[in-house]
Amino acid sequence: MRSSAWSYAFSISSIAFGANENEIIVTFHNYGVKSIWYTQDGGTVWSDKEGDFADIPVKAVMMSPLNSDEVIIGTQLGVWRTSNF
């Protein structure tokens, strides 16, 4: 994700760090936008990690401290988990 992509109107709902300060997940609260973004280099390059996740607002996110491939995502419809982040 380049900095120009951040110019859209949406609301950040959660920011989580991984094993170090360079691993960051940012989630967004709006419908119609990619809701889950990830960087491994402190924010220089961002990757869309939404995959086939439903178009619902994400409220919170957490990386597992024991398994870097496991991420837990909280929404108003429930809690979701992936083991293939």
Side-chain angles (χ1 to χ4, degrees):
M1 175 183 228
R2 303 225 187 286
S3 60
S4 62
W6 292 97
S7 64
Y8 297 102
F10 43 73
S11 302
I12 293 175
S13 57
S14 180
I15 300 171
F17 291 93
N20 58 58
E21 66 273 2
N22 288 323
E23 278 189 294
I24 307 168
I25 301 175
V26 175
T27 62
F28 296 98
H29 175 73
N30 303 75
Y31 289 100
V33 299
K34 299 291 184 181
S35 298
I36 305 166
W37 292 89
Y38 174 71
T39 182
Q40 290 180 309
D41 59 11
T44 302
V45 177
W46 291 88
S47 301
D48 166 19
K49 297 298 266 184
E50 186 165 315
D52 61 357
F53 193 72
D55 183 21
I56 54 177
V58 175
K59 303 292 187 180
V61 67
M62 181 180 127
M63 290 184 86
S64 170
L66 304 175
N67 179 356
S68 62
D69 283 332
E70 184 176 56
V71 173
I72 300 165
I73 302 162
T75 72
Q76 65 191 37
L77 298 178
V79 178
W80 309 85
R81 177 184 77 82
T82 182
S83 59
N84 186 18
F85 190 67

